[in-house]
């Protein structure tokens, strides 16, 4: 194990293993099969990369996405590890060259797409000295998983052809059926299943209910401005919204690109590359974006609309903070989304399951218990404590006697003959002059204007609470109109008391500064010495990245940079102690980085 720790520092610059990494590596070195479940950013790659370096021969890594392969290979090569990729986008000549290198034993890790693998099993694989086989994104093999790829189902032949080579299957998707499916289809022999915690304590969780479209854009602009220089993704439900929002942000002076599957391939690729290379900081995207993006310094993820299930949501927010630094997930929750998503679910062909999943997601948004506990419970993890890093923990709900408010709302619903939806009820309560209100004579109702003193947003949230508390329900079959329940009638007619939670002020959630705790790199120039140094280091990193044609985070990630700011290494030895600095990077980049740090600190040149 000591030797492996040394290799970890030498090649990757890390001083210790993350939870489970060491156990998994030990297991695979005993030539045994394994299934590894770790959340995105948990550190799966090291689990096969390190044994691949340690063992004689070549490790084959099956990976579904060319972009992901490219990133991993570049990362390995930049750390001085001989690695290559074979996929169908290369020319025959290129492939021949790589194959020759493999056969000569000059490549420690060979990344290969499943299609290519099938073509190469007979000729190439049987000529290699195989150390291990890693199947990345292994959930793609299962029809139960959310990303089924038919090519993956042929991988069963690996065990038949190479029974003595250990197979490691890796995924970030946890559910039980998928797990069993992976083990069966890959014919794993008595595999040990390693499940690491799905907790991502560095990710703060916030749900902001009740904002309409325009208010959301305003809140987002404010949010981004308070986080100068940070990269983030905004997930939207529709293609149109990604475009509109990107335009609105651009008009507000924020560089943002749209991304969705309906865009021409070149534009999509450009948006993705610009984002990876820090040329634009913000992408407004549908969920088509993100798979295969390994960018470690995404600082925040916003959901402009509620996602359709918790698995998807967790995977999407997992794209923030892969480097372990503080990051934020913000979700805008709104009943209009629930209605749209319900419709999708009902039409999906698997309506029962999908409606159930949607309901779990909705309960998450509406919950007033620790949000992280809900998520981890969903993934069958036991949690004993509240997390202290979600909006519920940070601003526990305060309650008040809301009987009068509830009575006003229910009364408005009853007086329309229970024929209207949420927006109209609020308009009646607030005494709106909207045409529809006047033409239907709602301005003559006794409750018209009875709730003027409460803002639109607050009413919106109180009505949500009334739905959750069971005073009201939505009649989905009849144009989503609101109906008073028997319990509601008790409050309305029998004097039963109703308790509501105070609506939290909006500014709190998006307050600037909250995010800047905890050693983050803040690039605003001209302020403290620390920021000057951070800024200079980032610029140097970008310059090198441009010159080498790789994304900046492959040179050093944000974690390494913030350690440089904190430790201020002024010699190569000190530089080598920074996390993420292995031998290769110390030699290659150490001199320029140290020189820059000495310069910024006004130390004499060496
Ligand atoms: P996954 O494939 O599980 O999503 P990665 O393998 O890409 O995650 O790792 C996520 C990040 O964590 C990477 O930046 C990686 O370099 C870093 N990392 C992995 N293992 C360690 C470790 N032992 N110490 C410090 N950082 C690590
Ligand atoms: Zn919490």
């Amino acid at each position: 194990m000591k030797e492996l720790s040394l290799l970890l520092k030498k090649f990757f610059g890390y001083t210790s293993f993350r939870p489970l990494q060491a156990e998994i590596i030990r297991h695979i070195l005993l030539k045994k099969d394994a299934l590894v479940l770790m959340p995105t950013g948990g550190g799966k790659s090291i689990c096969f990369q390190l044994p691949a370096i340690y063992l004689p021969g070549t490790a084959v890594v099956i990976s579904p996405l060319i972009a992901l392969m490219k990133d991993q290979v570049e990362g390995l090569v930049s750390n001085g590890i001989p690695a290559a990729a074979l996929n169908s986008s290369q020319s025959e000549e290129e492939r021949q060259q790589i194959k020759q290198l493999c056969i000569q034993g000059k490549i420690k890790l060979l990344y290969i797409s499943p299609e290519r693998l099938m073509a190469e099993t007979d000729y190439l694989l049987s000529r290699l000295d195989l150390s291990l086989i890693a199947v990345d994104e292994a959930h793609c093999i299962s029809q139960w998983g959310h990303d089924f790829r038919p090519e993956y189902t042929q991988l069963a032949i690996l065990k038949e052809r190479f029974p003595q080579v250990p197979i490691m299957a890796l995924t970030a998707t946890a559910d039980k059926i998928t797990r069993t499916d992976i083990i069966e289809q890959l014919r794993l022999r008595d595999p040990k299943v390693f499940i690491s915690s799905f907790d991502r304590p560095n990710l703060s969780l916030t749900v902001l209910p009740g904002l309409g479209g325009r208010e959301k854009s305003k809140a987002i602009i404010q949010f981004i401005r308070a986080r100068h220089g940070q990269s983030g993704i905004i997930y939207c439900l529709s293609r149109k919204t990604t475009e509109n929002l990107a335009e609105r942000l651009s008009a507000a002076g924020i560089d943002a690109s749209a991304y969705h599957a309906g865009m021409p391939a070149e534009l999509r690729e450009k948006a993705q590359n610009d984002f990876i290379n820090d040329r634009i900081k913000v992408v407004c995207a549908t969920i088509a974006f993100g798979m295969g993006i390994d960018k470690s310094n995404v600082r925040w993820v916003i959901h402009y609309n509620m996602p359709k299930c918790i698995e998807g949501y967790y995977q999407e927010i997992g794209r923030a903070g892969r480097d372990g630094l503080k990051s934020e997930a913000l979700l805008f929750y709104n009943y209009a989304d629930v209605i749209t998503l319900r419709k999708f679910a009902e039409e999906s062909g698997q309506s029962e399951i999908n409606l159930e999943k949607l309901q779990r997601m909705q309960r998450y948004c509406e919950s007033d218990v620790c949000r992280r506990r809900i998520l981890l419970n969903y993934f069958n993890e036991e949690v004993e404590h509240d997390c202290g890093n979600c909006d519920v923990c940070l601003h526990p709900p305060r309650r008040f006697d809301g009987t009068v408010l509830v009575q006003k709302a229910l009364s408005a619903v009853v007086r329309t003959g229970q024929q209207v939806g949420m927006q109209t009820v609020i308009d009646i309560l607030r005494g709106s002059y909207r045409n529809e209100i006047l033409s239907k004579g709602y301005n003559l109702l006794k409750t018209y204007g009875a709730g003027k003193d409460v803002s639109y947003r607050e009413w919106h949230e109180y009505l949500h609470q009334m739905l959750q508390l069971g005073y009201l329900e939505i009649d989905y079959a009849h144009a989503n109109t609101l109906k008073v329940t028997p319990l509601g009638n008790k409050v309305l007619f029998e004097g039963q008391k109703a308790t509501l939670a105070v609506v939290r002020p909006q500014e709190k959630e998006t307050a600037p500064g909250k995010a800047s705790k905890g050693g983050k790199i803040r690039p605003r120039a001209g302020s403290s010495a620390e920021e000057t140094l951070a800024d200079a280091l980032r610029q140097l990193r970008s310059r090198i990245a441009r010159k080498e044609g790789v994304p900046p985070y492959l040179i050093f990630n944000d974690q390494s940079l913030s350690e440089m700011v904190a430790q201020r290494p002024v010699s190569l030895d000190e530089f080598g102690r920074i996390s993420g600095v292995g031998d290769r990077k110390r030699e290659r980049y150490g001199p320029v980085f140290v020189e820059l740090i000495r310069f910024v600190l006004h130390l004499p040149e060496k």
Side-chain angles (χ1 to χ4, degrees):
M1 228 41 223
K2 178 124 185 293
E3 205 175 332
L4 288 168
S5 295
L6 289 175
L7 289 178
L8 183 70
K9 179 64 198 159
K10 179 174 156 67
F11 285 105
F12 298 95
Y14 302 136
T15 40
S16 59
F17 286 104
R18 293 240 183 103
L20 285 187
Q21 283 178 335
E23 286 94 316
I24 296 167
I25 293 170
R26 210 176 290 141
H27 184 79
I28 207 79
L29 291 181
L30 294 171
K31 300 245 160 219
K32 292 181 179 168
D33 292 346
L35 172 60
V36 174
L37 295 155
M38 254 188 212
T40 314
K44 284 187 282 299
S45 324
I46 297 279
C47 299
F48 56 83
Q49 289 171 346
L50 205 64
I53 297 168
Y54 178 82
L55 291 169
T58 305
V60 166
V61 184
I62 294 134
S63 171
L65 292 154
I66 293 176
L68 203 74
M69 272 187 213
K70 192 167 160 271
D71 224 36
Q72 291 234 340
V73 169
E74 279 173 0
L76 287 165
V77 170
S78 77
N79 278 321
I81 302 155
L86 268 187
N87 57 57
S88 312
S89 76
Q90 295 157 323
S91 69
E92 187 53 38
E93 198 188 343
E94 257 177 288
R95 282 204 292 265
Q96 281 307 335
Q97 259 173 7
I98 293 170
K99 283 192 240 177
Q100 276 317 311
L101 287 174
C102 290
I103 292 168
Q104 293 160 6
K106 291 189 176 149
I107 298 287
K108 292 307 292 180
L109 286 119
L110 176 67
Y111 283 73
I112 189 164
S113 61
E115 304 86 324
R116 206 61 239 158
L117 182 85
M118 288 307 129
E120 302 292 354
T121 331
D122 286 332
Y123 175 77
L124 178 64
L125 294 202
S126 53
R127 282 173 177 72
L128 294 186
D129 174 16
L130 281 175
S131 57
L132 65 97
I133 297 171
V135 181
D136 208 0
E137 313 285 354
H139 59 276
C140 293
I141 206 171
S142 170
Q143 307 219 29
W144 303 105
H146 52 86
D147 193 28
F148 175 58
R149 282 161 195 260
E151 318 86 79
Y152 258 63
T153 53
Q154 302 173 322
L155 298 180
I157 66 160
L158 287 172
K159 198 54 150 193
E160 285 163 25
R161 294 289 308 273
F162 310 102
Q164 74 296 352
V165 180
I167 297 184
M168 181 188 292
L170 307 104
T171 172
T173 297
D175 76 68
K176 278 210 185 102
I177 324 178
T178 313
R179 237 181 267 176
T180 325
D181 222 16
I182 295 172
I183 293 176
E184 279 174 8
Q185 294 213 44
L186 287 177
R187 315 267 192 276
L188 299 188
R189 265 182 327 203
D190 191 20
K192 182 153 180 189
V193 181
F194 295 90
I195 305 180
S196 96
S197 169
F198 272 67
D199 196 7
R200 300 278 312 277
N202 62 320
L203 200 57
S204 77
L205 306 167
T206 303
V207 176
L208 201 49
L211 297 193
R214 193 152 341 122
E215 295 160 301
K216 283 198 264 189
S217 321
K218 247 171 73 186
I220 290 174
I221 289 169
Q222 200 184 331
F223 179 96
I224 297 175
R225 286 199 176 135
R227 286 158 183 78
H228 178 78
Q230 298 185 3
S231 293
I233 306 171
I234 307 174
Y235 283 109
C236 310
L237 199 53
S238 76
R239 296 176 177 182
K240 193 84 208 130
T241 315
T242 65
E243 289 174 2
N244 291 344
L245 186 61
E247 267 170 37
R248 234 171 288 167
L249 295 182
S250 302
I254 295 165
D255 266 348
S257 283
Y259 183 103
H260 59 72
M263 280 162 49
E266 321 90 77
L267 283 184
R268 241 183 314 156
E269 216 163 284
K270 178 172 173 357
Q272 177 165 328
N273 286 333
D274 283 351
F275 184 66
I276 291 175
N277 292 299
D278 283 346
R279 287 191 293 267
I280 50 160
K281 299 289 182 191
V282 179
V283 177
C284 307
T286 58
I287 54 171
F289 183 76
M291 178 75 174
I293 290 191
D294 227 351
K295 187 174 166 67
S296 69
N297 65 338
V298 176
R299 289 272 68 85
W300 51 263
V301 168
I302 292 178
H303 281 84
Y304 187 88
N305 303 99
M306 184 176 89
K308 65 179 196 294
C309 64
I310 287 189
E311 288 97 330
Y313 171 65
Y314 205 65
Q315 192 165 45
E316 283 140 30
I317 62 175
R319 305 213 165 103
R322 296 181 62 150
D323 51 15
L325 293 184
K326 273 190 178 298
S327 307
E328 298 169 272
L330 170 64
L331 189 165
F332 290 102
Y333 169 60
N334 186 322
Y335 230 81
D337 291 344
V338 178
I339 291 171
T340 313
L341 288 165
R342 269 190 74 93
K343 217 171 123 246
F344 290 167
E346 274 163 2
E347 292 163 359
S348 68
Q350 274 194 305
S351 63
E352 212 170 305
I353 299 178
N354 289 339
L355 283 170
E356 163 70 22
K357 289 192 168 183
L358 180 61
Q359 207 174 46
R360 298 284 298 261
M361 187 69 227
Q362 189 183 347
R363 263 186 257 146
Y364 169 82
C365 294
E366 295 178 342
S367 169
D368 54 12
V369 303
C370 172
R371 298 200 200 274
R372 199 172 313 269
R373 290 182 80 147
I374 305 180
L375 291 180
L376 295 177
N377 268 317
Y378 186 87
F379 295 114
N380 302 320
E381 253 181 69
E382 265 178 43
V383 196
E384 288 182 4
H385 304 284
D386 286 356
C387 76
N389 194 20
C390 74
D391 54 339
V392 180
C393 285
L394 293 169
H395 314 282
R398 276 185 298 130
R399 304 192 190 280
F400 67 104
D401 180 354
T403 312
V404 174
L405 282 181
V406 174
Q407 285 171 339
K408 282 181 183 172
L410 298 187
S411 162
V413 171
V414 169
R415 281 166 200 272
T416 62
Q418 317 208 54
Q419 294 298 318
V420 297
M422 194 178 286
Q423 192 190 343
T424 307
V425 173
I426 300 177
D427 282 340
I428 294 171
L429 287 163
R430 298 205 8 95
S432 152
Y433 295 111
R434 205 152 58 81
N435 240 342
E436 193 201 332
I437 303 288
L438 304 181
S439 69
K440 296 235 165 95
Y442 291 147
N443 53 328
L444 306 174
L445 298 179
K446 217 176 142 211
T447 32
Y448 180 75
K452 261 202 195 92
D453 48 333
V454 176
S455 73
Y456 188 92
R457 183 175 87 88
E458 286 170 320
W459 266 124
H460 199 266
E461 201 177 310
Y462 289 138
L463 283 166
H464 274 105
Q465 292 186 25
M466 292 176 215
L467 286 167
Q468 280 164 259
L469 292 166
Y471 301 136
L472 279 173
E473 61 191 357
I474 291 187
D475 188 349
Y476 292 107
H478 290 101
N480 308 311
T481 49
L482 293 176
K483 302 279 186 276
V484 178
T485 62
L487 187 63
N489 279 327
K490 286 194 180 162
V491 180
L492 192 52
F493 299 118
E494 295 169 26
Q496 182 163 321
K497 292 244 170 284
T499 305
L500 295 178
V502 177
V503 174
R504 277 170 266 151
Q506 202 181 313
E507 293 73 27
K508 277 238 172 77
E509 332 276 343
T510 53
K514 215 170 77 176
S516 44
K517 276 182 237 149
K520 184 164 305 177
I521 302 170
R522 281 173 300 155
R524 256 154 300 171
S527 34
S528 72
E530 228 168 62
E531 285 176 6
T532 312
L533 180 56
D535 227 7
L537 290 173
R538 281 164 67 112
Q539 281 172 19
L540 176 60
R541 175 176 70 170
S542 289
R543 249 197 335 270
I544 296 174
R546 256 198 313 277
K547 208 167 71 193
E548 300 192 2
V550 297
Y553 60 85
L554 281 185
I555 307 293
F556 288 120
N557 64 21
D558 284 7
Q559 173 75 53
S560 303
L561 246 57
S562 58
E563 262 191 43
M564 288 175 207
V565 172
Q567 311 285 343
R568 304 176 174 194
V570 292
S571 67
L572 278 187
D573 265 358
E574 286 174 14
F575 192 76
R577 264 173 249 139
I578 299 287
S579 167
V581 181
D583 286 1
R584 173 66 163 261
K585 288 190 175 171
R586 190 192 58 216
E587 279 154 35
R588 188 153 173 181
Y589 306 123
V592 274
F593 274 83
V594 166
E595 188 190 325
L596 177 72
I597 293 165
R598 295 182 71 90
F599 175 77
V600 174
L601 298 178
H602 304 292
L603 295 174
E605 272 176 52
K606 277 196 142 178

